[in-house]
């Protein structure tokens, strides 16, 4: 009986996992795409961030403290690029991936085209869904954030950041695609470098932006499937089409 119970539990887990993958593949017509189920995480850093503080100081004509910080430390050091936490870590760009995986437990998925399946879209803002994407010899950071840009009106922001320099980022084009119920929405743009602040990218709206009703239109039982494709390109354009 014990053996039967353990086997039955394993079968149920396998069926549940297969069902999660099937839900994402059903949304996209391309068979065989890699599917990553991403659970939400409530951000722990939504006190004023370093990026926001620096931007405010510049607007007021006051140099932020980080300018003095850079003068003392190695200018090649970059801060932690994880948007979830106010992490004090600094390091060289080459070890950012190791830091994100080991310290913040961010998963990494490989493949030119994948499906990012974000669960529990109904949770209150601020909430983040994050994964690393390894493709074409580089690593990218996909950030989906639910945030209230205006009080009482949460929105979803999705962007792709290259874990590399801005010059390297210019060599790529990423595409985010939603496809459900005979409706399709696509965003295509050049990724930004993680040397830039994720918060600034979202504040500028240089990313895929969905209001709550639009997100619900493309969601399936509280989960949002986003198809991701990355190509090498020199073309700098951004478009949103429906």
């Amino acid at each position: 009986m014990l053996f039967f119970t353990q086997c039955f539990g394993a079968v149920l887990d396998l069926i549940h996992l297969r069902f999660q993958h099937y839900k994402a593949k059903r949304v996209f017509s391309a068979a065989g795409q890699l599917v990553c189920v991403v659970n939400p995480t409530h951000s722990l850093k939504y006190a004023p961030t370093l990026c926001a503080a620096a931007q405010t100081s510049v607007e007021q004509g006051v140099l932020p403290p980080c300018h003095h910080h850079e003068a003392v430390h190695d200018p090649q050091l970059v801060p932690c690029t994880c948007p979830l936490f106010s992490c004090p870590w600094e390091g060289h760009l080459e070890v950012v991936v190791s830091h994100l995986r080991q310290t913040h437990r961010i998963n990494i998925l490989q493949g030119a085209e994948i499906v990012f399946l974000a669960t529990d879209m109904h949770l209150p803002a601020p909430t983040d869904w994050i994964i690393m994407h390894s493709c074409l010899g580089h690593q990218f950071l996909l950030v989906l954030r639910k945030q209230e840009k205006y009080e009482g009106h949460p929105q979803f922001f999705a962007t792709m950041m290259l874990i590399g320099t801005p010059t390297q980022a210019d060599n790529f084009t990423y595409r985010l695609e939603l496809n459900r119920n005979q409706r399709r929405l696509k965003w295509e743009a050049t990724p930004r470098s993680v040397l830039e602040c994720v918060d600034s990218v979202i504040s500028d709206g240089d990313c895929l932006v969905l209001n709550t009703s639009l997100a619900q239109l493309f969601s399936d039982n509280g989960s949002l499937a986003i198809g991701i494709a990355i190509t090498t390109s020199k073309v700098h354009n951004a478009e949103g089409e429906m």
Side-chain angles (χ1 to χ4, degrees):
M1 287 296 296
L2 179 61
F3 176 78
F4 174 78
T5 302
Q6 291 177 340
C7 290
F8 186 70
V11 171
L12 286 180
D13 291 341
L14 180 61
I15 292 175
H16 176 71
L17 181 61
R18 293 290 298 176
F19 177 70
Q20 290 283 358
H21 281 66
Y22 169 74
K23 285 202 306 181
K25 289 185 178 181
R26 185 183 58 181
V27 175
F28 291 85
S29 59
Q33 284 184 307
L34 294 174
V35 178
C36 183
V37 179
V38 184
N39 296 319
T41 305
H42 283 283
S43 178
L44 302 179
K45 73 156 198 172
Y46 276 89
T49 63
L50 294 176
C51 295
Q55 184 176 1
T56 302
S57 300
V58 171
E59 292 174 352
Q60 294 176 349
V62 180
L63 291 177
C66 62
H67 284 263
H68 302 287
H69 178 77
E70 290 177 356
V72 176
H73 296 299
D74 187 346
Q76 294 184 345
L77 294 179
V78 297
C80 175
T81 58
C82 182
L84 290 174
F85 308 98
S86 293
C87 178
W89 179 89
E90 285 186 329
H92 290 277
L93 198 57
E94 294 79 10
V95 294
V96 168
V97 173
S98 298
H99 170 73
L100 292 177
R101 297 197 67 182
Q102 296 174 8
T103 303
H104 299 300
R105 305 299 182 185
I106 296 180
N107 294 325
I108 186 168
L109 197 65
Q110 298 184 0
E113 295 187 11
I114 65 174
V115 176
F116 179 95
L117 184 63
T119 65
D120 299 324
M121 302 295 295
H122 61 278
L123 291 178
T127 305
D128 290 292
W129 294 260
I130 299 176
I131 192 175
M132 283 192 292
H133 182 188
S134 179
C135 177
L136 300 175
H138 289 77
Q139 284 73 40
F140 300 82
L141 190 68
L142 177 67
V143 179
L144 173 64
R145 176 175 298 170
K146 184 178 183 180
Q147 180 176 321
E148 288 189 358
K149 203 166 187 180
Y150 305 101
E151 187 175 356
H153 298 281
Q155 293 177 301
F156 293 89
F157 304 86
T159 187
M160 183 75 76
M161 312 285 288
L162 172 71
I163 302 179
T165 66
T167 301
Q168 291 174 322
D170 287 342
N171 295 324
F172 298 95
T173 297
Y174 75 94
R175 185 179 74 248
L176 305 179
E177 183 174 334
L178 306 177
N179 192 340
R180 184 171 183 266
N181 292 336
Q182 298 182 342
R183 298 177 177 87
R184 177 177 297 179
L185 187 147
K186 181 169 64 175
W187 167 268
E188 187 171 301
T190 300
R192 304 281 283 271
S193 167
V194 293
L195 298 179
E196 305 176 60
C197 187
V198 176
D199 294 340
S200 299
V201 175
I202 291 176
S203 298
D204 295 341
D206 186 15
C207 55
L208 175 63
V209 182
L210 305 172
N211 58 32
T212 304
S213 60
L214 194 58
Q216 290 177 348
L217 190 65
F218 285 97
S219 65
D220 182 13
N221 293 325
S223 297
L224 186 67
I226 304 177
I228 306 169
I230 300 177
T231 57
T232 55
S233 175
K234 287 288 186 179
V235 179
H236 306 288
N237 67 329
E239 67 177 28
E241 65 181 27
M242 187 172 180

